[in-house]
Structure formats: C-alpha cells, structure tokens
Amino acid sequence: MPSLTGLPLQIIVALLAVAAFAATMWLWPRLGGNGWKAWLGRLGAFFGTQVVVLAALGLVANSYFGFYSTWSDLLGLDGAPGQVVDHQPGGKAIRVTGEQKMYSAQGPAKERSGKIEKIDIRGEASGLNSDAYVYLPPQYFQPEFAGSRFPMALVLSGYPGIPEKLISLLKYPETALKGIEAGQLPPTVLVMMRPTPAGVGNRDTECMDIPNGPQVETFFTTDLPKAMATDYRIYDKPEARAVMGDSTGGYCALKFALRKPDAYRSAVSLSGYYEAPSDPTTGDLFGGNADLKRENDLLWRLENRPAPPVSLLLATSLNEDNYQDTQKLVAAFKAPTQLSTITLSTGGHNFHTWTREIPPAMAWLGKRLTPPQPASRQA
C-alpha cells in the first residue's frame, strides 16, 4: 500500500480527480432527463467527483501539516499497548536505523554539512521507546573536534505531527547549519521527534507522567538526555541542553524547563499554549488529581512556585490565540528565570509563521547553550 504522506499517492489521487471531473463534464449531457436513472446518474457523478477532489485535497493537506503519518494512524489502529522488551545490563539505549546526507552550499560531505541519522531510543526509566532524527553538525566529524562533546537541542513537533516535517518543512537542520556558519549558534546536535513516543498510540499525553499510564515526561527529561550523552558525544550538563517546539511541542518545551531545570536550562515555545487541554485526544491526564493539574499549568507555576534558573523564549503574534496568555506569563515571571519574546505583527498557528520564528529563536539559543567542550574541560 502506498505511503499516506508520499508524493506518489497524492499524484495518483490528483489524476483521478481530474479524470472524474472530465468524465462528469463529458457524461453530463447524456444524464439529462427526469427519470430516476438520470437523477441517480447526475447525483453519482456529482458526489463521486466531489469525493475524489476532497480526497486529493485532504492528502495534500495531511502531507503538509502532518496530521497522520500512516494508514493505521489515520484509521486509529495504533492504539495497542506497548510491549515490554527485556534488555541486558549495559545494552545500548540508541539504535541507528538509517541515515541521510545533508545538502548545503558547502556540499554533501558530512565534514562540511553534517548528517541526519534516524534512531530508535529506548527509555530505561520510563519503559518507553520512540524513533527520532538526529542532526549531527559538520564539526562532529572534523578532526579538531574529535575529543569534544556538543550541546544538544531537543526539537518537538506539535500533536499529531510527524518528525519528518521538522526536517522538510520547518528546516531545522538547514537553519541550524546556517546559524553555525554565521557564528550565531555553537555547533549543536538536534534531536527531532514528536511529543508522543511510540507505544502510547494516538493519545495526546501532553508530555505528562500520567498516573497509572505512560511516563512521557520521564522519557524526555531523564531517559533521552542520558541516552544521548551515552551513545553520542553530548556534553552531559543541563546548561548544554535546550528544548524547543511548536504548538504542543512548545507547551512541552516550557514545561520541561520549568519542572525539570536539571534536564533543560533553555526552552523555546512557538505558538505554544500554557495549560494542558482535556479533550477526546488526551483522555483523563490527571486522574482527578487537582494538584497535578495545577502543577502542569505553566502560569500557575510561575506565580506560585520558586523561580528556576532557566531561560524561556515565547513566540507569538498579535492575532494568535495565545497572545493574551503570553502577556500574562510575561507579567508573572521573576528572577532567576529569564524570559524573552518574539511577537510578529501578523501570523497564525501554522508552518509559515514558525519558519519566520525559528531563525531568531536559534540565534537566541546560541547565546545560552554551552559551546562544544574539549575532553579536558568536561569535568
């Protein structure tokens, strides 16, 4: 079966839509008359054409926005519980499952443009696993950095987005490389993934440790940093780690920094919201625990919890739904938390807006991430 997000399926359905429209125009004169057969023929031709055209538009929109990544995802067949996999002590937490070259003005060589690896991450503390894409900058392969460990930025998509769009549409590796070449960003390893790990199914967990459910926050704040520092040359210090994302990913990024500052010291939210929703995609996240609900309300945390030593960047626009709530967060933060904003005059909850915010957000991160550290300075 062709890929749900692949170009071949979009082309096939688009051609079918054109053919259906042409056939309707050609057959319409023959479907004249007042008999029931003529009426059924006209209705069939009309609605058949509409269905195929809408299917073509839906496939293009799904591929662009990343609503569903597979047929089973679309049909709701990915809801099976995760399976327990026993591993031997000392086993690798990360398995590389594929790689692709980066292409830039410097050429495709990894020493010039870096490389993207597709990996599978096993979470020891959470029991969860998930796939991800890792961008390794060119310096990772250059002899003068052979003994160095690098800063890391976790990049999260929205829900139910797919991590491939972080590469193809939002162009995080390309933007990071340009920032590195311009001296605005230290050579940084990017870990790109969706906010819902595999094994959770289609549920929107809002990156929470759900009572009697998946421990997603533990996966991202404990398992992921440990796995990356073990299997890659990542500087294992919170000031060398950042997290950023759009929409749900933006909410998760801010929450990780505010709740677990020893995991991430910098966070960027692009069109993120500040309180976990409750809807059919989330189910009961809090198990009726009002305290847990408040703990995941970011405005409440800023107003009622001690301020952590983290840096936050909130990106919004004057006509976005989160604009007013963003102003409340700006008014509520206090030292030692540092808070910055990007406010566009126009923009919305979409990829076009985020591509305008990512370059300055990367430059902002560049002033906060610890640069690559030689082995002699990693104590």
Side-chain angles (χ1 to χ4, degrees):
M1 181 178 292
S3 168
L4 180 61
T5 58
L7 185 60
L9 181 61
Q10 296 175 47
I11 293 175
I12 291 171
V13 178
L15 290 175
L16 286 175
V18 173
F21 179 79
T24 299
M25 297 297 292
W26 182 66
L27 290 172
W28 200 259
R30 303 187 181 191
L31 298 175
N34 296 319
W36 65 271
K37 291 183 179 180
W39 276 101
L40 285 179
R42 289 196 293 269
L43 287 173
F46 177 78
F47 286 110
T49 302
Q50 295 296 310
V51 168
V52 181
V53 169
L54 289 174
L57 293 175
L59 286 170
V60 172
N62 181 68
S63 177
Y64 184 85
F65 291 104
F67 297 122
Y68 301 99
S69 57
T70 64
W71 288 102
S72 55
D73 191 15
L74 173 65
L75 299 174
L77 302 178
D78 285 337
Q83 296 181 345
V84 175
V85 179
D86 295 323
H87 299 267
Q88 296 298 321
K92 289 176 71 69
I94 291 178
R95 180 171 59 94
V96 178
T97 59
E99 65 177 58
Q100 63 188 77
K101 290 182 178 180
M102 271 284 294
Y103 293 88
S104 74
Q106 304 301 318
K110 61 184 180 181
E111 296 84 359
R112 292 178 176 269
S113 299
K115 182 177 69 171
I116 298 172
E117 293 186 341
K118 186 176 183 180
I119 64 173
D120 181 74
I121 305 171
R122 173 177 59 88
E124 182 179 354
S126 66
L128 299 173
N129 69 285
S130 190
D131 59 349
Y133 289 89
V134 173
Y135 170 63
L136 301 170
Q139 289 77 10
Y140 195 89
F141 306 101
Q142 295 172 0
E144 56 267 39
F145 289 90
S148 298
R149 288 187 171 267
F150 290 76
M152 180 193 90
L154 169 63
V155 183
L156 297 173
S157 70
Y159 174 88
I162 54 177
E164 289 84 355
K165 297 304 178 185
L166 298 172
I167 301 171
S168 62
L169 264 177
L170 293 180
K171 302 184 183 303
Y172 272 98
E174 181 180 321
T175 304
L177 180 57
K178 290 180 180 178
I180 292 168
E181 292 173 345
Q184 297 176 333
L185 180 73
T188 301
V189 173
L190 305 183
V191 184
M192 297 165 284
M193 55 198 310
R194 50 188 314 233
T196 301
V200 176
N202 288 331
R203 186 176 186 183
D204 178 7
T205 64
E206 296 295 320
C207 298
M208 273 192 55
D209 281 352
I210 300 174
N212 302 313
Q215 305 296 286
V216 178
E217 185 177 51
T218 295
F219 175 83
F220 282 115
T221 59
T222 300
D223 291 333
L224 179 73
K226 180 180 178 181
M228 289 299 298
T230 300
D231 291 356
Y232 287 92
R233 299 200 320 271
I234 300 296
Y235 189 33
D236 193 18
K237 296 287 185 181
E239 58 269 22
R241 292 192 294 261
V243 55
M244 65 187 301
D246 59 79
S247 190
T248 301
Y251 166 72
C252 293
L254 297 178
K255 182 165 68 172
F256 292 160
L258 289 171
R259 284 175 53 85
K260 302 295 178 67
D262 287 340
Y264 302 98
R265 286 289 167 85
S266 302
V268 178
S269 170
L270 311 178
S271 300
Y273 43 87
Y274 309 115
E275 182 179 9
S278 179
D279 57 38
T281 67
T282 65
D284 182 9
L285 294 173
F286 309 106
N289 188 327
D291 290 337
L292 184 59
K293 189 177 190 305
R294 282 194 297 269
E295 288 291 333
N296 285 271
D297 182 330
L298 304 187
L299 178 59
W300 184 90
R301 292 193 66 85
L302 286 175
E303 292 176 336
N304 295 278
R305 290 295 184 207
V310 297
S311 297
L312 310 177
L313 174 60
L314 315 178
T316 184
S317 68
L318 295 177
N319 54 319
E320 277 207 69
D321 291 341
N322 74 338
Y323 176 75
Q324 295 299 331
D325 287 338
T326 299
Q327 305 316 303
K328 294 178 182 178
L329 262 73
V330 171
F333 89 98
K334 49 188 176 291
T337 298
Q338 299 179 2
L339 191 143
S340 306
T341 58
I342 297 173
T343 305
L344 302 179
S345 57
T346 60
H349 201 85
N350 55 57
F351 288 120
H352 177 67
T353 296
W354 301 329
T355 56
R356 297 160 61 198
E357 296 167 340
I358 291 171
M362 286 281 194
W364 179 88
L365 276 182
K367 299 175 182 178
R368 287 155 180 85
L369 283 172
T370 301
Q373 297 295 302
S376 60
R377 297 175 56 188
Q378 292 171 18

